Structure formats: structure tokens, C-alpha cells
Amino acid sequence: MAIIALSSATVLIFQFGRPFGEAVSLSLAMMCTMILIHLLISRARDRGAVSEAVDRLEDRMADLDEDVGNLEGRLTGMEHTMPRRTRAEMDPLFAEVEVLGTLVKQMAEAMSDLETRVEDQQALPPPPPPLPHYPQTQPGMHGRAFEPPPAVAPPPVPSAAAAPQARIDANMQHAGQHPAIGQGPEVGTEPLHWQQGHAQPRESAGRADMDAWDRKYGVAPIAAPAPGAVPFEQGPETGQTQAPDDDFPFGDPAPAVPEGPKPNLAMREMITSALNANRVELFLQPIVTLPQRQVKYYEAFTRLRDAEGNAVEASVFLPEAVLSGQIARIDNLLLFRSLQVIKRLTSRNRNAILFCNISSASLVDEAFFPSFLEFVQSNRAYADVLVFEFSQADVAVMGGLELESLNALYEAGFRFSIDRISDMKMDFNSLAGRGFKYAKLHGDYLIGRREANHGHIHPSDFGDLLQRYGMELITDHVETESQVLELLDYDVKFAQGNLFSPPRPVRAEVLQGASAAGPIRTAAG
């Protein structure tokens, strides 16, 4: 446009002879006109492009509105139809589950009632033995007392006519019946109306007669014992009265010196032979969740077998094993076999946890514990699934050496459990700080069937107390369905007992190579 304007000015000057100023003004006017026309054309073209884009956008928005309307219609239809369809499909299932729950609850209540009846029946005392029969002489009158029999009275020889009656009396005495009841005056007893109407005069008369005999022979009367006093006992042969065992007329006896537990040589020999002959078996008992009763954890137990193949439980051989110093060998074998089992369990379920019972005496065994600690540190990968368990009696008497050993295991990543709890006033907060994560309480203590030393802590709040310290409560020794019903009222989450499954032996293929290995040496060999 500038070239056109300059060319126009040149033509006007040289061709038409117009003045220079006029030619330049006309060229500038022409250039501005061309610029204005170009801007108008460009703006119109841009407006047309924008209009086309807006039209296409409006068409697209219209399509989107239509799609959204269709989607809203489909969602509205699903909102109205899906709940009815789901409810129609789930209602029969809910009804069946409710019926099953009602049947299970009725069965549990029936089992609880049956167990209660069996327990009540077992709690009944045995029937008393039949009272001995002592024949009495026949009184002559209603108000006359019995006379004492002679000092030596030979038994009368029964006649042939009295033999059947004697046999009848003997049979009735053997059956626990008194032969004189209901016989009448012919067999040596008073009539029924005399026994009922004159019982008190007969007793008073008998007492007066006995007082007269005492005065005649110079016998001092025996005073009635005071309430709560220990009665005197009669000698077995002489008939003299004896004082109770705790009465010492010549002063208190010398205090008895407490004796330590005596060694059981037969049990010690059985433990040694069982360990040497590898007659040691590993048993597992599951710990389940309530109320689902799904297996959550396992606990390992050791059983020994004697030469005849009879299984000996740990409660029988453990005291002698601790006394003889062989408990470290048992703990050594239990630990290694537990690792074999936990490797098999974790290959199937990573969340499986195994409780392994060891003795506190093994923690202070100078020949056992260093190798034990080295072995568990080399297997630190299983620290999350292997829990060492100690009894409350052992934990209560732990000293500095035991606590130092526990601290070494805790630093290696292992956690602990305390079982056989009977004292709920223990400082469980400090135990939680030392690595105790689980606590086991007898089910009867929790539901009040046994008395425990709980102080100001109600047994039903014991689980909440442990939970505040980061510990889990496990109720063990659950044997009956009635216990389960009461435990559910206390919101118990984990339970263990023969009701769910008794301890079962581990298969031999799981323990392949466990018996041959001996990673830890002990002082007992």
C-alpha cells in the first residue's frame, strides 16, 4: 500500500504536473483508504471464522446436553430399579442367615443349659451311707425311759421261727432301711402315736436318767462346746476324748523348716532318655477370633514320650526339668522346631503368628542364652511372627539378668506374651514398655467363675486396660459353649481352648531336619 501511494504521488507530479504537496496529500489519503478497507475486510473475515467456531461449539454442546440427558435418564432408572432388584435378591439370603443365627443361638443356649445341668449334677454330694441299726429294748410304759443294756450280753440264738424275720431285717439294713419302721410293738418299737406325742418327755427322762448314772459313778458332766469351737474327737479304741491337733498343752511346737523340692529321679531319668532318644513332639493349638472362630494365631507346646510311648504333658515334666537343669535343652529343641513350623506357616499366610513358651531359667543360662540370642538374631526376619511366652509367676520374679536378656531379645525385634495371669494388679504398663504385646487370662477369671486378685480393676475392664497399653487380651481354657456366650458379652476378640481345638501334633514332614539340627549348645549338653 505504501508503494502504491508513492507511485500515485510520482505520477501526479511528473505526469500531470501537480504540485508536490498536493500529490503527497493525495497519495497519503489513498494509502489510508486502502488500510481502512483492509482492516474492514480482515475483521469481517475473523468475525466469520469466530461465528463458524461458535456454531460448531453450540452444536457440540447440544450433543453433550443430549448425552447428559440420556445418562441422567439411565441413572434415574438404575436408582429406582437396582435397590428393588438387590433387595429382592438379598432378602431371602438375609432371612436364611437370620434363621441360621436363631438356630445357632438356640443350640448354644441348649448346650449351655445341658452343661449347667451336668455341672449341677456333678456338684451334688454323694448319697450318705446307710445309718447303722442298733436294736433297742421295748419299754413297758409310755413315760418309762429305756434302761441301759447289761455290760455283757450274749447274743440270743435265733430260733427257727425268727430266722425268716432276721433275714428280712438284714436285707432291709443292707438296702439302707431301718427294719423297725412300720413294724409295730411286736418287733421292739413304740407305736407311731407314742413316738410323735411323747418324744420330748422321753428325751428329758433319758437325760435325767443319764444324770443319775453320772452322779452314781462320779462322772463329771461334759459342757457344751462354745459356738465356733473345735469339737473334741473320740479315740478309736479307748473312747477317751482327744484335743485337736492344733492344741499343744505343753507349749508351741518347734517351727518346721521348709524343705525345697525333692528331685524326682524317675522323672529326671525319663526326661534324659526322651531327649537322648528324640522322643520329643511338638503340638500346636489354634487361637481363634470371636465370634467368627477363625484361626488367627497358634501356640506351640512340647510333649515328651516315655519308653512305653505314653505322652507326658509339660505341666508334669517341667518342674523336674527346671530342677535338673535340662529345661534349656527342651527350650532349644522347641525354638528350632517352632522356626521350622513358622517357615511353613508364613509360606501360606504371612499374618500367622506362633507363640513359643520358654522358661525364664533359660534367660540366665550362661551356656545357653548367648547361642540362643545369636540364633534368633540370625533369624530376625521371623521376629514379627514369633512371640516368646512366659508365665506371670516367672515374670514376677525376674531379676536384672532376666530383664537384660529380655531387652536383648526386644532389641532384636521380638515381642513377648504373658500367660497364666492370676494377679490383675501387675504393672502391665511397664511390661508393655519391655515388649510384652499379648496377655492371656483364664476364661473363668474373666466371667467371674473363679476369684482373681484384681483389686480395683473389674475383670470385664481388664481387656480395655491392656488395650490402652497397646496389649491384646487372649482368653484361654475355654471349654464350654456357656463360657463363649459370657465372653461375647465382654467383647472378647481372641480365645483359646479345647472347645475350638485341642493341641494337635505337628506332622513329621513339617519337621524334616529339625531333630538332627542342634544350633545351640547348653550347659546340660
Side-chain angles (χ1 to χ4, degrees):
M1 286 185 291
I3 294 172
I4 294 172
L6 184 60
S7 301
S8 299
T10 302
V11 169
L12 289 174
I13 292 173
F14 293 101
Q15 183 70 28
F16 294 101
R18 306 301 297 174
F20 180 79
E22 184 181 353
V24 171
S25 300
L26 291 174
S27 62
L28 289 176
M30 184 181 299
M31 186 176 65
C32 291
T33 303
M34 288 188 296
I35 292 173
L36 181 60
I37 293 171
H38 178 73
L39 289 177
L40 293 175
I41 294 172
S42 299
R43 189 172 182 182
R45 185 170 56 248
D46 293 340
R47 187 182 296 112
V50 171
S51 299
E52 292 177 0
V54 170
D55 293 338
R56 290 195 302 267
L57 184 60
E58 288 179 355
D59 295 338
R60 185 60 180 167
M61 289 296 293
D63 296 338
L64 290 177
D65 290 339
E66 186 178 358
D67 294 339
V68 169
N70 295 334
L71 184 60
E72 288 179 354
R74 295 178 62 183
L75 288 176
T76 304
M78 292 179 62
E79 289 177 356
H80 289 288
T81 58
M82 286 299 294
R84 291 196 297 268
R85 186 184 305 173
T86 305
R87 189 178 299 109
E89 294 177 356
M90 296 296 293
D91 284 346
L93 183 59
F94 286 155
E96 293 179 2
V97 171
E98 185 177 0
V99 171
L100 289 177
T102 304
L103 293 177
V104 170
K105 184 176 181 180
Q106 293 177 356
M107 183 175 64
E109 292 176 354
M111 292 294 296
S112 177
D113 295 340
L114 182 59
E115 290 172 357
T116 303
R117 292 180 182 178
V118 171
E119 292 175 359
D120 295 342
Q121 190 69 23
Q122 293 177 353
L124 292 177
L131 297 174
H133 170 58
Y134 299 97
Q136 300 176 348
T137 58
Q138 180 180 359
M141 296 178 65
H142 296 323
R144 181 179 179 182
F146 290 119
E147 296 183 358
V152 178
V157 179
S159 60
Q165 183 63 34
R167 286 195 298 270
I168 294 175
D169 294 346
N171 293 334
M172 295 178 68
Q173 179 181 358
H174 180 70
Q177 301 177 0
H178 201 290
I181 296 177
Q183 297 291 334
E186 291 80 10
V187 294
T189 60
E190 298 82 8
L192 183 60
H193 66 87
W194 189 92
Q195 294 177 1
Q196 296 176 352
H198 299 79
Q200 183 64 29
R202 176 179 175 180
E203 181 179 359
S204 59
R207 173 58 60 185
D209 187 70
M210 291 301 297
D211 294 339
W213 279 80
D214 292 341
R215 288 193 300 271
K216 180 178 180 181
Y217 290 98
V219 179
I222 300 176
V230 179
F232 287 87
E233 298 179 356
Q234 188 174 5
E237 296 179 359
T238 61
Q240 302 295 328
T241 58
Q242 299 176 350
D245 294 340
D246 56 351
D247 294 338
F248 298 95
F250 302 101
D252 297 335
V257 179
E259 298 181 357
K262 297 182 179 179
N264 189 345
L265 299 181
M267 180 60 67
R268 183 174 301 184
E269 180 64 25
M270 190 278 298
I271 296 173
T272 304
S273 62
L275 291 174
N276 294 335
N278 194 26
R279 295 196 303 270
V280 183
E281 295 184 357
L282 186 68
F283 283 66
L284 294 183
Q285 186 176 25
I287 300 172
V288 302
T289 61
L290 291 181
Q292 296 86 2
R293 304 193 183 189
Q294 296 179 353
V295 177
K296 184 68 174 180
Y297 310 130
Y298 290 93
E299 183 174 359
F301 299 94
T302 303
R303 298 286 188 270
L304 301 183
R305 291 198 178 273
D306 55 14
E308 289 77 15
N310 300 321
V312 182
E313 295 186 357
S315 59
V316 178
F317 67 79
L318 274 183
E320 185 59 33
V322 174
L323 186 62
S324 62
Q326 301 183 89
I327 187 62
R329 295 183 62 188
I330 299 175
D331 288 345
N332 173 24
L333 192 58
L334 174 63
L335 171 65
F336 190 75
R337 291 187 172 182
S338 297
L339 280 175
Q340 297 290 326
V341 172
I342 202 64
K343 289 178 182 179
R344 177 65 65 89
L345 290 177
T346 53
S347 63
R348 300 178 180 178
N349 182 12
R350 184 60 185 174
N351 296 325
I353 294 179
L354 182 65
F355 289 75
C356 180
N357 289 271
I358 61 176
S359 174
S360 61
S362 300
L363 299 178
V364 295
D365 194 321
E366 297 179 356
F368 168 77
F369 187 74
S371 302
F372 173 85
L373 183 60
E374 181 181 358
F375 182 69
V376 297
Q377 286 179 346
S378 62
N379 293 273
R380 188 175 296 184
Y382 300 99
D384 295 336
V385 294
L386 186 61
V387 177
F388 297 113
E389 190 167 84
F390 304 91
S391 64
Q392 188 184 39
D394 289 346
V395 174
V397 297
M398 282 185 177
L401 293 177
E402 290 88 348
L403 296 178
E404 184 177 354
S405 301
L406 279 182
N407 188 38
L409 292 174
Y410 178 68
E411 292 179 353
F414 291 88
R415 297 298 178 261
F416 314 111
S417 172
I418 179 172
D419 70 338
R420 285 175 276 177
I421 296 176
S422 59
D423 185 6
M424 300 182 189
K425 297 190 300 181
M426 200 175 202
D427 189 3
F428 291 97
N429 190 14
S430 62
L431 291 181
R434 294 186 179 275
F436 282 84
K437 191 177 179 181
Y438 303 93
K440 289 186 178 180
L441 181 66
H442 199 295
D444 287 344
Y445 287 145
L446 187 62
I447 62 181
R449 295 188 180 182
R450 289 189 182 185
E451 289 294 333
N453 186 13
H454 54 79
H456 300 291
I457 304 173
H458 194 274
S460 60
D461 299 329
F462 186 59
D464 296 335
L465 175 68
L466 295 178
Q467 192 172 7
R468 287 198 296 268
Y469 299 148
M471 301 177 65
E472 288 286 351
L473 175 63
I474 301 175
T475 55
D476 55 4
H477 295 84
V478 180
E479 310 293 339
T480 61
E481 291 290 344
S482 59
Q483 289 178 304
V484 175
L485 292 176
E486 296 186 59
L487 291 176
L488 290 177
D489 294 336
Y490 293 123
D491 296 332
V492 175
K493 298 180 180 179
F494 303 102
Q496 177 184 4
N498 292 334
L499 175 65
F500 311 111
S501 175
R504 301 184 184 277
V506 180
R507 297 192 304 272
E509 58 267 18
V510 179
L511 301 176
Q512 287 179 358
S515 59
I520 308 172
R521 296 187 60 83
T522 64

